[in-house]
Amino acid sequence: MEDYSQEDWGNHSQDLHGYPTDQELDEIPVTKRTLKIKQESSEEAQKRDIMQNIVQILESVQLKWELFQSWTDFSRLHLSNKLAIFGIGYNTRWKEDIRYHYAEISSQVPLGKRLREYFNSEKPEGRIIMTRVQKMNWKNVYYKFLEITISEARCLELHMEIDWIPIAHSKPTGGNVVQYLLPGGIPKSPGLYAIGYEECIERPLSPHMERHSVDPGKEGRVDLETLSAQASLQVEIEPTRIIYCYLGIAEVRTLQQCLFLHFQANTKTFSKDWVGINGFLSQNCIVDPGVSPKSIYIKFVEVERDFLSAGSLVECLEKAIGYPLKFNN
């Protein structure tokens, strides 16, 4: 890394602090200032969650850290034109363990170019690293990367950036059968799609709740109201989460055609012998009186047909979510 004079050093330090002055803050109305802080905190939390997910992927494939020596290393042919998941790490003079500074999916810009930005002191990203090394906050800087295909990059985008869409269902017809109602706007183009279902996690009552079933001030007299509540609710219901169960590749057919075949054809051609995702969706349409079917969700992303055959898409998604896809095996 380049050496900088004390004057340059001061300029770099000032550039790192993009905070408004007291005068600027006074000019911002309180309501707008509060709204801005909430928006920024929400965006920061989202960025932090995405970065943690990327770190989880990098750790799951057990890559080795490489010591940064010169940013010209990233001009090497094997880095210059590849897409990748990469991480930047550091250690200190006091602790040799390498910790993550940053992690990113470089899906639009080649890895070599993106890494040069992080190790070039004239770029905002590189300036932060340069400053911390010069101030002896850090001892060495490292990097690691996992090459990915365009389709794998889009698969990770599907997971981390695209929201789930709930699938509505009709009222029971023919006794106890419901039908799925697919939303409009599903592209008539190739791509990737995922199907998931809402899981409700139940766990036993906590000791805290159990203790409150008896009024301690009445020496064993049972609080009838609490006891009644416990009788009707024997478990605590945790917040629901959506479980991925299938990743589809719309290569021969379009996204719209693939999803239609999964959801619309099932109720008309249902067979108890069906297995896999179609069997799961069909059986979910048969409900007992007064019982709703399991909540089903979809998400999709368009991908050029030529790219869909490259990469290991199911394994890519399984690494990202941390569990196997039930109906892709």
Side-chain angles (χ1 to χ4, degrees):
M1 293 187 180
E2 300 178 50
D3 291 331
Y4 279 79
S5 66
Q6 189 66 33
E7 182 179 354
D8 290 335
W9 169 259
N11 292 335
H12 283 303
S13 298
Q14 290 173 9
D15 291 342
L16 292 176
H17 298 87
Y19 305 112
T21 62
D22 291 340
Q23 182 178 355
E24 289 173 330
L25 284 173
D26 290 338
E27 293 172 357
I28 302 175
V30 174
T31 53
K32 288 186 177 180
R33 193 186 311 166
T34 304
L35 179 60
K36 183 178 180 181
I37 290 171
K38 287 182 178 179
Q39 289 174 340
E40 288 176 350
S41 61
S42 177
E43 290 173 2
E44 288 301 316
Q46 186 177 11
K47 288 179 181 178
R48 185 170 58 251
D49 290 343
I50 290 175
M51 180 173 156
Q52 287 176 348
N53 202 174
I54 297 171
V55 168
Q56 173 190 317
I57 297 171
L58 289 171
E59 289 299 296
S60 69
V61 291
Q62 299 179 342
L63 301 168
K64 291 184 178 180
W65 288 104
E66 295 190 39
L67 175 65
F68 166 70
Q69 294 176 324
S70 168
W71 68 269
T72 55
D73 292 345
F74 307 133
S75 299
R76 290 176 294 177
L77 181 62
H78 76 283
L79 289 179
S80 60
N81 60 352
K82 296 183 183 301
L83 302 181
I85 307 171
F86 72 89
I88 306 293
Y90 68 93
N91 62 5
T92 68
R93 291 165 296 117
W94 303 99
K95 190 174 181 180
E96 285 294 327
D97 294 344
I98 301 173
R99 286 147 280 177
Y100 280 89
H101 164 61
Y102 186 73
E104 179 183 301
I105 299 173
S106 183
S107 59
Q108 303 293 331
V109 181
L111 174 64
K113 181 178 179 181
R114 195 73 184 103
L115 282 175
R116 283 198 299 273
E117 291 176 350
Y118 269 89
F119 291 96
N120 184 348
S121 58
E122 295 182 359
K123 299 287 185 179
E125 300 94 333
R127 194 177 305 144
I128 293 173
I129 293 176
M130 175 206 69
T131 300
R132 290 181 180 175
V133 171
Q134 285 188 337
K135 295 179 74 172
M136 298 178 72
N137 301 133
W138 297 353
K139 177 185 176 183
N140 292 316
V141 183
Y142 301 82
Y143 65 94
K144 63 167 63 173
F145 65 91
L146 173 67
E147 183 182 353
I148 57 175
T149 65
I150 291 175
S151 58
E152 287 169 342
R154 297 293 277 168
C155 183
L156 293 172
E157 177 187 337
L158 176 74
H159 169 50
M160 289 188 277
E161 299 182 22
I162 296 179
D163 294 331
W164 288 104
I165 301 171
I167 300 298
H169 53 80
S170 67
K171 293 182 179 179
T173 58
N176 62 342
V177 177
V178 300
Q179 291 186 343
Y180 297 110
L181 304 175
L182 282 174
I186 300 175
K188 298 178 180 180
S189 56
L192 300 172
Y193 62 94
I195 299 175
Y197 60 90
E198 193 173 87
E199 181 186 64
C200 184
I201 303 172
E202 298 181 352
R203 60 185 172 89
L205 286 169
S206 66
H208 174 74
M209 290 187 68
E210 290 176 351
R211 282 197 302 268
H212 280 77
S213 64
V214 177
D215 187 339
K218 297 181 180 178
E219 297 183 354
R221 286 182 57 192
V222 178
D223 184 335
L224 295 179
E225 183 179 348
T226 305
L227 186 60
S228 174
Q230 285 189 342
S232 61
L233 181 63
Q234 295 298 318
V235 294
E236 289 181 76
I237 306 300
E238 292 186 348
T240 56
R241 66 168 181 153
I242 300 172
I243 303 296
Y244 285 86
C245 62
Y246 186 75
L247 175 67
I249 303 173
E251 186 175 6
V252 178
R253 297 184 176 92
T254 66
L255 287 165
Q256 186 183 80
Q257 289 171 333
C258 288
L259 288 166
F260 177 85
L261 288 173
H262 286 306
F263 287 94
Q264 296 297 325
N266 285 335
T267 55
K268 298 176 182 178
T269 59
F270 173 71
S271 168
K272 290 183 179 179
D273 296 328
W274 276 18
V275 294
I277 185 64
N278 287 349
F280 167 73
L281 293 173
S282 294
Q283 291 169 21
N284 190 52
C285 289
I286 302 175
V287 297
D288 296 326
V291 178
S292 297
K294 192 183 293 287
S295 298
I296 305 295
Y297 296 78
I298 61 171
K299 57 166 64 177
F300 48 81
V301 63
E302 295 178 75
V303 184
E304 290 185 35
R305 183 173 281 107
D306 293 342
F307 300 136
L308 284 169
S309 60
S312 303
L313 297 173
V314 171
E315 292 178 3
C316 172
L317 182 58
E318 287 180 337
K319 283 292 185 182
I321 62 179
Y323 55 86
L325 294 165
K326 186 174 182 179
F327 299 114
N328 277 99
N329 298 325

